Amino acid sequence: MEEIQKRRTFAIISHPDAGKTTLTEKLLLYGGAVQLAGSVTARKNQRATTSDWMELEKKRGISISSTVLQFDYNGYRLNLLDTPGHKDFSEDTYRVLTAVDSVVMVIDSAKGIEPQTRKLFEVCRQRGVPIFTFMNKCDRPTKDPLALLDELERVLGIGAFPVNWPIGNGFEFQGVFDRQTQLMHLFERTVGGQYRAPVQVGGLHDELIRGRLDDATFHRTVEELEMLEHAGHDWDDDAVLADKTTPVFFGSASNNFGVQLLLDGFLKHAPGPKGRHSAVAADVRRRIELANANGDQTNPPPHVGAYIAPEHPAFSGFIFKIQANMDPKHRDRIAFLRVCSGKFERDMTVHHSRSAKKVRLSSSHKLFGNERETVDEAYPGDVIGLVGHDSFGIGDTLTTDPGITYKEIPRFTPEAFSYLHNPNTAKFKQFRQGLEQLMQEGVIQALYLRNSSVKTPLLAAVGPLQFEVVQFRLENEYGAVSRLEAAPWTVVRWLPVDMKEYDLDTLSLPTGSRVAYDVGKNPVVLFQNEWSADYFTKTNERVPLSTLPVQTARE
Ligand SMILES: Nc1nc2c(ncn2[C@@H]2O[C@H](COP(=O)(O)OP(=O)(O)OP(=O)(O)O)[C@@H](O)[C@H]2O)c(=O)[nH]1
Ligand SMILES: [Mg+2]
């Protein structure tokens, strides 16, 4: 119980560029996990960040893949996950959200709530993940702080409780007032923000503090604080845990302002590891899916299985991410497992849901960016890396009790399609091997056209940037250059899972559309546009199409 209670597993989420990776790096700095903070736009003589370690990330200055960072701070064991903000990589981000117990939502205070933040917020809400908010970039002209709180309430429909309050705006931004201790924290800027920012702490009327503020800033701050006292909500841990309120922290990640307050405030109030629900048996689930596809509402929704508490005696966990070639020296693949219940011990033998076989977990690691270290035990809340199991796939459950199966991982509907050619036949092996690996990682999906002699893989992605990542990584990690060719489809729909091959022959297909199979051999139809998909529905009334990928694999 003690080990469970000291774990905090959380993700940092937001719209692209709000400062997630920068904040992650600063949390590592203040958490004592790095001595010197790197920067996302690493110039000469400057370290890159710990979480954007991938070649393409360093090159582009954006996050492409989520990163796990485990470290100890102040009696806690933190499992922090930095996520990519770009919507083309949202599948990766959404998978991470299944593995955490709370999130820090970063907002660019000049921009307010941006579309991708809003989407991610909704997913957190659906999953009941408590949300802490960091209003970043207060060192630049921002929206009015009260307006930002109002936006949270209006746009996201969540109560906002300002834990601290910014003092001065933009270039005049000097620090924050901690409403709980009633203390001002005034910071000094340091070059590059590599080290902790020097800070002066004191009461509102302390001479030293008062002397650093001009009259206008001082009076405005006093006024705003009084207003908050009268108008605002009270702090309420239950409301935070129930997703009704988000505690709000102001600051600037690149200048290290307010980072310590966020870290300490977050740890004090963030929930420890939560259990997960074991899914219903696959056959029951399939019936439910079919009923849903047919618009039959009388069936119970999925996820009706038993709740497996973290203190459940059996070890259980699920794989939410796979990543190959993290360390160029090893060139192996790591499966990221979130421990849900019981205790993990190295060398233990567990049941693997996909193969229904027993496997021994001998190579387990704690992760810190692309660094790893052997780990002998792990507890609920921990994310560990497992090496050397090619049969592990995203979504698989590992457990000492075969009765437990988790079905946490959402699947996405692709919206971009492209053929990927291998122009260099001598590199055929590398090309195929690399592509298979990237598909296993879930970087991309592949579809197989029915009745086709074409051997070129048809790739399907949520967004076109994913193709770029595939091409870059194929070349960089496997030495295989590739060429993209646009495919004529923009819409994919799943056919009922129980359709037989001869049923497929009888479909009446609109011009330009094709039947294909997904990796699970489930039949789909590719359409040139929405209109064509609607037309299909009208002409094939007895064949309901599903927008969401079918979750099962056909035997
Ligand atoms: N002025 C200012 N700039 C900041 C601050 N925090 C981050 N930035 C800058 O914002 C840009 C984006 O920062 P990142 O940390 O890469 O943002 P991100 O949210 O991780 O972006 P993606 O992972 O690509 O979605 C970088 O140029 C940072 O230097 C801040 O507090 N103030
Ligand atoms: Mg980032």
Side-chain angles (χ1 to χ4, degrees):
M1 281 308 290
E2 215 172 278
E3 289 291 341
I4 294 172
Q5 277 160 12
K6 67 188 241 205
R7 268 138 179 101
R8 293 292 179 274
T9 305
F10 64 106
I12 306 211
I13 58 163
S14 80
H15 196 79
D17 258 9
K20 295 174 291 299
T21 301
T22 308
L23 178 64
T24 300
E25 191 73 5
K26 300 312 169 76
L27 290 173
L28 298 181
L29 177 70
Y30 279 86
V34 301
Q35 300 308 313
L36 190 70
S39 151
V40 280
T41 44
R43 286 181 213 104
K44 242 193 196 156
N45 306 327
Q46 220 177 12
R47 279 182 74 236
T49 57
T50 314
S51 59
D52 280 354
W53 52 268
M54 213 190 253
E55 211 45 50
L56 191 55
E57 294 180 318
K58 287 195 255 182
K59 228 174 168 161
R60 296 275 294 260
I62 62 168
S63 304
I64 286 168
S65 175
S66 52
T67 306
V68 181
L69 301 139
Q70 192 187 70
F71 61 101
D72 289 330
Y73 170 75
N74 223 359
Y76 291 101
R77 168 141 310 168
L78 281 72
N79 289 274
L80 191 176
L81 290 105
D82 180 21
T83 65
H86 198 289
K87 77 169 187 15
D88 288 11
F89 308 128
S90 46
E91 215 167 0
D92 188 356
T93 302
Y94 283 36
R95 287 182 200 132
V96 164
L97 291 179
T98 65
V100 300
D101 302 301
S102 57
V103 303
V104 172
M105 174 168 80
V106 182
I107 289 173
D108 181 336
S109 309
K111 296 188 174 152
I113 293 156
E114 298 175 89
Q116 196 60 14
T117 302
R118 192 168 162 172
K119 271 197 212 153
L120 291 165
F121 171 86
E122 269 153 26
V123 177
C124 291
R125 216 184 212 172
Q126 257 172 21
R127 297 193 56 87
V129 180
I131 297 158
F132 292 70
T133 303
F134 186 66
M135 291 290 180
N136 193 26
K137 307 199 184 180
C138 289
D139 59 316
R140 285 204 287 205
T142 66
K143 288 191 175 178
D144 176 43
L146 285 168
L148 285 167
L149 296 187
D150 185 53
E151 210 172 313
L152 283 172
E153 308 205 341
R154 216 167 15 83
V155 180
L156 301 182
I158 191 167
F161 180 88
V163 182
N164 54 38
W165 196 248
I167 305 162
N169 193 326
F171 197 69
E172 306 289 305
F173 175 59
Q174 300 204 47
V176 294
F177 179 80
D178 182 350
R179 293 179 63 215
Q180 277 169 328
T181 58
Q182 295 284 310
L183 290 173
M184 290 270 205
H185 293 242
L186 297 186
F187 302 92
E188 275 167 44
R189 295 179 195 221
T190 57
V191 179
Q194 289 180 317
Y195 300 96
R196 293 161 185 240
V199 57
Q200 224 171 17
V201 182
L204 198 56
H205 300 281
D206 282 7
E207 240 167 81
L208 271 178
I209 299 289
R210 180 65 187 84
R212 278 186 59 182
L213 302 174
D214 62 63
D215 284 349
T217 308
F218 176 77
H219 290 303
R220 206 185 60 223
T221 307
V222 171
E223 213 168 90
E224 284 173 343
L225 288 172
E226 264 170 22
M227 202 154 83
L228 289 180
E229 285 308 318
H230 289 118
H233 308 265
D234 287 331
W235 177 279
D236 176 358
D237 268 332
D238 290 337
V240 174
L241 298 186
D243 258 352
K244 292 206 178 83
T245 303
T246 178
V248 182
F249 300 78
F250 289 82
S252 162
S254 61
N255 288 290
N256 306 343
F257 288 14
V259 174
Q260 182 90 61
L261 287 168
L262 170 70
L263 180 58
D264 292 335
F266 170 79
L267 287 175
K268 198 163 147 202
H269 299 286
K274 241 173 68 173
R276 297 289 186 271
H277 288 271
S278 176
V280 286
D283 56 331
V284 178
R285 192 181 178 81
R286 189 172 304 181
R287 260 187 280 135
I288 294 170
E289 269 171 3
L290 265 178
N292 286 348
N294 292 328
D296 178 355
Q297 301 294 325
T298 54
N299 272 281
H303 293 297
V304 288
Y307 175 73
I308 311 294
E311 54 271 23
H312 192 284
F315 159 77
S316 71
F318 63 89
I319 292 165
F320 64 93
K321 178 180 169 73
I322 286 175
Q323 180 97 46
N325 310 325
M326 287 177 65
D327 185 343
K329 286 195 295 276
H330 294 304
R331 294 265 161 211
D332 50 14
R333 63 197 283 274
I334 297 191
F336 293 65
L337 177 101
R338 146 91 192 204
V339 181
C340 296
S341 73
K343 179 178 172 185
F344 168 86
E345 284 170 283
R346 192 156 68 89
D347 283 329
M348 79 194 302
T349 300
V350 299
H351 172 84
H352 172 224
S353 62
R354 182 182 306 248
S355 62
K357 284 190 180 132
K358 293 234 171 289
V359 290
R360 196 168 138 226
L361 303 176
S362 46
S363 183
S364 47
H365 302 267
K366 74 177 256 186
L367 302 162
F368 190 76
N370 64 344
E371 294 164 29
R372 53 168 110 152
E373 201 178 287
T374 298
V375 68
D376 293 320
E377 11 185 271
Y379 294 89
D382 279 339
V383 170
I384 55 173
L386 301 167
V387 176
H389 300 276
D390 283 349
S391 61
F392 289 1
I394 290 171
D396 293 2
T397 303
L398 298 176
T399 172
T400 50
D401 175 356
I404 302 175
T405 318
Y406 297 113
K407 285 270 160 60
E408 293 285 334
I409 305 296
R411 294 265 314 270
F412 274 56
T413 309
E415 288 170 24
F417 304 87
S418 218
Y419 291 107
L420 192 71
H421 294 276
N422 168 32
N424 184 352
T425 42
K427 292 274 182 168
F428 177 70
K429 226 178 99 196
Q430 288 88 332
F431 178 84
R432 207 182 52 184
Q433 197 192 2
L435 197 58
E436 252 165 39
Q437 176 54 48
L438 295 178
M439 271 165 16
Q440 233 170 356
E441 278 185 27
V443 171
I444 202 92
Q445 300 179 36
L447 297 172
Y448 306 92
L449 292 176
R450 185 167 186 260
N451 299 333
S452 169
S453 56
V454 182
K455 288 279 184 296
T456 313
L458 175 64
L459 303 186
V462 175
L465 265 183
Q466 283 174 275
F467 296 136
E468 216 179 292
V469 173
V470 166
Q471 287 196 287
F472 184 91
R473 289 189 57 189
L474 273 180
E475 185 172 353
N476 202 43
E477 293 165 26
Y478 299 89
V481 179
S482 57
R483 184 171 60 80
L484 273 183
E485 181 202 345
W489 307 288
T490 64
V491 175
V492 60
R493 294 285 178 263
W494 271 258
L495 287 160
V497 279
D498 57 348
M499 269 197 108
K500 302 280 178 301
E501 283 300 309
Y502 53 79
D503 293 329
L504 297 176
D505 291 330
T506 65
L507 293 174
S508 140
L509 292 174
T511 323
S513 51
R514 285 290 295 270
V515 173
Y517 303 97
D518 70 7
V519 274
K521 297 204 180 71
N522 301 298
V524 303
V525 187
L526 288 160
F527 296 103
Q528 288 184 326
N529 46 43
E530 289 284 345
W531 183 88
S532 168
D534 288 345
Y535 185 73
F536 176 95
T537 312
K538 282 188 201 116
T539 46
N540 298 269
E541 269 180 353
R542 283 138 59 98
V543 186
L545 294 177
S546 158
T547 323
L548 284 174
V550 170
Q551 303 284 345
T552 47
R554 286 225 289 193
E555 281 79 35

